[in-house]
């Protein structure tokens, strides 16, 4: 929780500084503020807390394989809310990808490679929350600038997480904050928090939410190599097979998505 609080608050301050420097628009209507609070809960607070708590209990390899379900969940949320048209290929792809994720979560013993079912389930729940955030953010982006949306989402997130996060920070021992730890925390705030959210919200205004989500495929490739080199983790046969099943499901859903309408013409 201390890490999640630092990440959310640090990114919130960075976004607020950029917004102030650019004199970006503010939020006028209370209904927009309420919608931003909901987005903050899904896309920042639950997303980051569930991921960090899940990563604590599982492996980096398992976590990032499960992250690849975000496109399938995004498509599923869009279908449920009527933002995209259903097709047999889309529904089948979501089912296959979801089945691969469930199979991975249920790994036991050597097949788990050090991961836990509970940790995997928390990461999967994080993927569902972020998928809902991607779909629901589209409505606000029709009326507000991307920088305004992401700034309010993080500022509200910092307020939401404060009651639990501030006590967690207070319990951190000063000697735990050595130079390496501070540099790692700074990296987490600047790159996967500030830059990633800024770029994703910019992209969401210009293309479909399900298409934006598909770029998450890059993560497990990088993680498979980095986790081996840095953490000594290995990709178990079950994890590799589950990743293949998930990718087949995503490919099927993507194929069904492309046959109905070009992404550039879609409004999600």
């Amino acid at each position: 929780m201390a890490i999640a609080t630092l990440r959310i608050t640090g990114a919130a301050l960075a976004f607020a500084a950029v917004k102030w420097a650019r004199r970006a628009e503010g939020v006028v209507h209370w209904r927009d503020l309420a919608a931003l609070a909901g987005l903050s809960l899904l896309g920042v607070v639950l997303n980051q807390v569930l991921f960090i708590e899940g990563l604590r209990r599982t492996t980096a390899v398992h976590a990032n394989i499960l992250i690849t379900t975000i496109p399938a969940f995004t498509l599923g949320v869009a279908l449920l809310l009527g933002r995209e048209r259903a097709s047999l290929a889309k529904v089948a792809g979501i089912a296959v990808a979801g089945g691969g994720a469930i199979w991975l979560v249920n790994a036991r013993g050597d097949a788990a490679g050090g991961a836990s079912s509970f940790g995997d389930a928390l990461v999967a729940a994080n993927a569902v929350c972020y998928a809902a955030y991607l779909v629901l953010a589209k409505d606000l982006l029709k009326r507000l600038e991307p920088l305004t949306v992401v700034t309010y989402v993080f500022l509200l997130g910092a307020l939401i997480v404060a009651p639990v996060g501030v006590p967690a920070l207070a319990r951190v021992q000063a000697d735990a904050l050595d130079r390496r730890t501070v540099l790692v925390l700074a990296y987490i705030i600047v790159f996967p928090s500030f830059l990633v959210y800024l770029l994703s919200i910019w992209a969401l205004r210009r293309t479909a939410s399900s298409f934006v989500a598909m770029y998450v495929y890059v993560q497990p490739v990088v993680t498979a190599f980095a986790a081996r080199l840095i953490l000594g983790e290995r990709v178990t046969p079950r994890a590799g097979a589950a990743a293949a099943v998930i990718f087949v499901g995503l490919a099927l859903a993507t194929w069904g998505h492309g046959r109905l309408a070009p992404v550039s013409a879609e409004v999600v």
Side-chain angles (χ1 to χ4, degrees):
M1 284 304 304
I3 294 174
T5 303
L6 283 173
R7 183 177 181 182
I8 294 170
T9 305
L13 293 174
F15 282 122
V18 174
K19 182 180 179 300
W20 178 81
R22 291 194 57 191
R23 301 291 192 271
E25 64 180 343
V27 176
V28 177
H29 299 291
W30 67 267
R31 68 167 184 252
D32 288 341
L33 197 60
L36 286 163
L39 286 178
S40 177
L41 184 62
L42 286 171
V44 174
V45 179
L46 289 176
N47 170 40
Q48 300 206 24
V49 171
L50 287 170
F51 180 77
I52 289 177
E53 290 296 333
L55 187 60
R56 240 178 111 188
R57 297 166 173 83
T58 190
T59 63
V61 171
H62 269 223
N64 276 278
I65 290 173
L66 289 167
I67 285 296
T68 63
T69 60
I70 287 177
F73 287 137
T74 302
L75 188 53
V77 172
L79 291 176
L80 286 173
L81 296 179
R83 308 295 178 86
E84 294 196 20
R85 290 175 290 166
S87 71
L88 180 60
K90 284 183 178 182
V91 175
I94 293 169
V96 171
I102 292 171
W103 187 49
L104 183 64
V105 168
N106 288 328
R108 296 287 187 277
D110 290 340
S116 75
S117 295
F118 183 55
D120 285 350
L122 289 176
V123 176
N126 141 79
V128 174
C129 290
Y130 190 68
Y133 162 81
L134 288 177
V135 175
L136 295 172
K138 292 288 288 186
D139 289 336
L140 279 175
L141 289 170
K142 295 174 184 176
R143 302 191 301 275
L144 301 173
E145 293 181 6
L147 181 58
T148 298
V149 171
V150 76
T151 299
Y152 276 89
V153 161
F154 268 89
L155 286 172
L156 290 168
L159 291 175
I160 294 170
V161 81
V164 178
V166 172
L169 280 172
R171 290 192 295 271
V172 175
Q173 299 297 319
D175 56 2
L177 296 175
D178 56 23
R179 185 184 176 201
R180 180 177 181 275
T181 301
V182 171
L183 288 174
V184 170
L185 287 170
Y187 174 86
I188 291 171
I189 292 169
V190 174
F191 292 97
S193 303
F194 176 71
L195 284 179
V196 167
Y197 273 84
L198 183 63
L199 292 172
S200 65
I201 206 78
W202 179 87
L204 275 173
R205 198 174 193 182
R206 290 160 174 80
T207 189
S209 53
S210 55
F211 188 69
V212 174
M214 288 173 192
Y215 280 88
V216 78
Y217 300 160
V218 176
Q219 283 190 210
V221 178
V222 175
T223 301
F225 287 100
R228 181 74 177 179
L229 292 172
I230 300 172
L231 303 175
E233 292 182 7
R234 62 187 180 90
V235 180
T236 63
R238 188 185 185 108
V245 171
I246 291 171
F247 285 146
V248 168
L250 294 172
L252 186 59
T254 304
W255 176 75
H257 175 75
R259 283 177 61 84
L260 282 179
V263 171
S264 58
E266 178 189 8
V267 178
V268 178

